[in-house]
Amino acid sequence: MSINRKALRKAVKRAVEKLFQEAVDKAVGILKQGGLVALPTETVYGLAADAKNPEAVAKVFAVKGRPSNHPLIVHMGSKEELNEWATDIPEVAWKLAETFWPGPLTLLLRRKPEVPASIVGGHETIALRVPSHPLTLAVLQAFKGGLVAPSANTFGRLSPTRAEHVEQDLQDKVDWVLDGGPCDIGIESTILDLSCTPPAIVRPGGLSAKALAEVLGFLPQESLNAPAAPGSLPAHYAPRTPLLLAEPEELEARAAKLCAQGKKVAVVHTQKITLPENAQWVCLPEDLSQCAHELYALLHELDKQQLDVVLASLPPADGLGSALRDRLVRAANAHTPQVL
Ligand code: TXA
Ligand code: MG
């Protein structure tokens, strides 16, 4: 029997569209009833709930074990929804939204007085973004309202970049994990504070300062006065296995010392180096986008092995590299005292 290729392609497309729509409908149904759905975004998986349902928002805090004064990002289906949440929106916010949304940029703006206090943790600002993963964007547009979505991990732990990371951490505590495949970018969004002058980056992330500079007209600096928030705690994004960091040229000596102490070590670096026999080399891509795409998945993977320590090299502090260094340093801070 000959198969009509064109008809086959059409049938496959229809089947994919049907599955896509079923997934979107299921997610929206759960969210409308106040449930929690882990949703894929281009940065990391988020734990989504109806931003206007205080009980659903409270569940997000409870499931993550997150302190209630740490504010949440509200995810929207379009930039026009900015008006629902923020006030005194400067012209540059619209320009940034036009250029970078949907995408890995979160804007901090003055909140409207009616925004529930539970979302903003007592702050006068609100964090807003439009994510670009097609499934989540479709969920947001069908939901017709904001969804809070912190990274879908227990407070303080590594962010999930694959559905199975969420399942391993929060499986029994969420109503559904929508598997949208591995996250493209793999590192959280850049948070830009537009409520201060000049605008400042309060969390480096998936969008570089250089890219922002093209719209802002100046290179935004990282703010040292960021309000106390999970992403700005010195120890955060932590794997279970202690993580040590070193400049590339120090790696060999550090690895040799750890192995001599009888430690089971994995060395994460872009190039193969001379290592003691019992140390394992794990390759991290040199290209910074690739590196961001793989870093958390790799740390999740290493956490499954019974290692005493992971020794990782620091990427150059350039573009995405500054976000990668930020996450690595915070992840390492969680364990340093135990391994020194
Ligand atoms: O890429 C991302 O941003 C992911 C995906 C799921 O969208 N979300 C994410 O959310 O990383 P979360 O909650 O894990 O981190 C949000 C960060 C926290 O450091 C929080 O304190 C900060 O944003 N934040 C939220 N609202 C804020 C506000 N009003 N003022 C200052 N910081 C705020
Ligand atoms: Mg987080």
Side-chain angles (χ1 to χ4, degrees):
M1 187 182 77
S2 82
I3 293 179
N4 180 325
R5 288 171 65 178
K6 205 168 155 198
L8 183 62
R9 274 203 297 271
K10 260 195 180 164
V12 170
K13 191 166 171 252
R14 266 202 308 274
V16 170
E17 281 167 1
K18 186 163 173 274
L19 259 179
F20 185 101
Q21 198 51 50
E22 280 169 8
V24 170
D25 292 346
K26 177 170 171 174
V28 171
I30 297 170
L31 292 161
K32 286 276 177 214
Q33 285 173 13
L36 306 189
V37 181
L39 290 176
T41 85
E42 74 283 23
T43 58
V44 301
Y45 274 73
L47 183 59
D50 181 353
K52 293 208 167 146
N53 178 335
E55 278 134 50
V57 173
K59 264 195 268 173
V60 169
F61 281 96
V63 162
K64 277 185 63 86
R66 176 167 168 139
S68 58
N69 61 343
H70 290 307
L72 301 172
I73 299 175
V74 173
H75 295 63
M76 310 174 300
S78 74
K79 65 175 186 312
E80 285 68 32
E81 289 168 52
L82 274 177
N83 286 315
E84 269 187 46
W85 301 94
T87 179
D88 302 333
I89 304 172
E91 194 48 43
V92 72
W94 296 109
K95 275 196 208 147
L96 290 162
E98 180 69 40
T99 313
F100 297 116
W101 283 352
L105 172 66
T106 295
L107 298 178
L108 280 189
L109 291 161
R110 287 188 61 75
R111 71 172 169 93
K112 281 196 150 171
E114 60 268 32
V115 171
S118 56
I119 299 178
V120 291
H123 293 276
E124 284 309 306
T125 52
I126 181 159
L128 295 154
R129 92 173 185 101
V130 179
S132 70
H133 191 294
L135 271 167
T136 293
L137 197 53
V139 168
L140 282 160
Q141 286 164 359
F143 185 78
K144 297 197 195 332
L147 294 172
V148 292
S151 53
N153 53 277
T154 304
F155 179 68
R157 292 263 161 227
L158 272 181
S159 298
T161 53
R162 298 184 181 185
E164 65 253 32
H165 300 155
V166 186
E167 284 158 2
Q168 281 149 19
D169 190 5
L170 302 176
Q171 172 93 70
D172 312 331
K173 302 177 183 161
V174 302
D175 295 296
W176 193 39
V177 179
L178 171 46
D179 187 347
C183 302
D184 268 358
I185 293 177
I187 192 161
E188 299 80 358
S189 60
T190 300
I191 306 182
L192 183 72
D193 190 350
L194 291 180
S195 71
C196 58
T197 315
I201 291 175
V202 296
R203 179 178 71 179
L207 188 71
S208 70
K210 250 193 211 156
L212 287 168
E214 284 177 27
V215 174
L216 292 172
F218 65 93
L219 194 67
Q221 299 302 301
E222 285 177 24
S223 164
L224 302 175
N225 304 319
S232 28
L233 290 181
H236 206 66
Y237 308 105
R240 285 175 217 289
T241 316
L243 176 69
L244 278 181
L245 303 176
E247 293 299 341
E249 60 279 10
E250 300 167 345
L251 279 179
E252 288 184 9
R254 295 289 292 276
K257 203 167 155 199
L258 289 163
C259 287
Q261 291 166 5
K263 295 216 153 82
K264 213 173 152 203
V265 184
V267 180
V268 179
H269 187 44
T270 50
Q271 275 131 44
K272 195 157 188 198
I273 50 170
T274 315
L275 290 174
E277 235 171 59
N278 49 345
Q280 173 196 352
W281 172 60
V282 181
C283 181
L284 198 62
E286 196 151 14
D287 174 79
L288 291 174
S289 307
Q290 276 297 318
C291 180
H293 177 71
E294 285 176 29
L295 181 70
Y296 287 158
L298 198 131
L299 293 175
H300 275 288
E301 216 35 59
L302 289 173
D303 256 353
K304 290 189 198 148
Q305 303 180 21
Q306 304 299 313
L307 293 164
D308 293 313
V309 66
V310 171
L311 176 64
S313 65
L314 281 160
D318 209 34
L320 264 183
S322 76
L324 289 166
R325 284 176 85 102
D326 171 85
R327 302 306 189 274
L328 283 166
V329 167
R330 290 177 206 279
N333 281 346
H335 292 290
T336 308
Q338 291 144 42
V339 286
L340 279 181

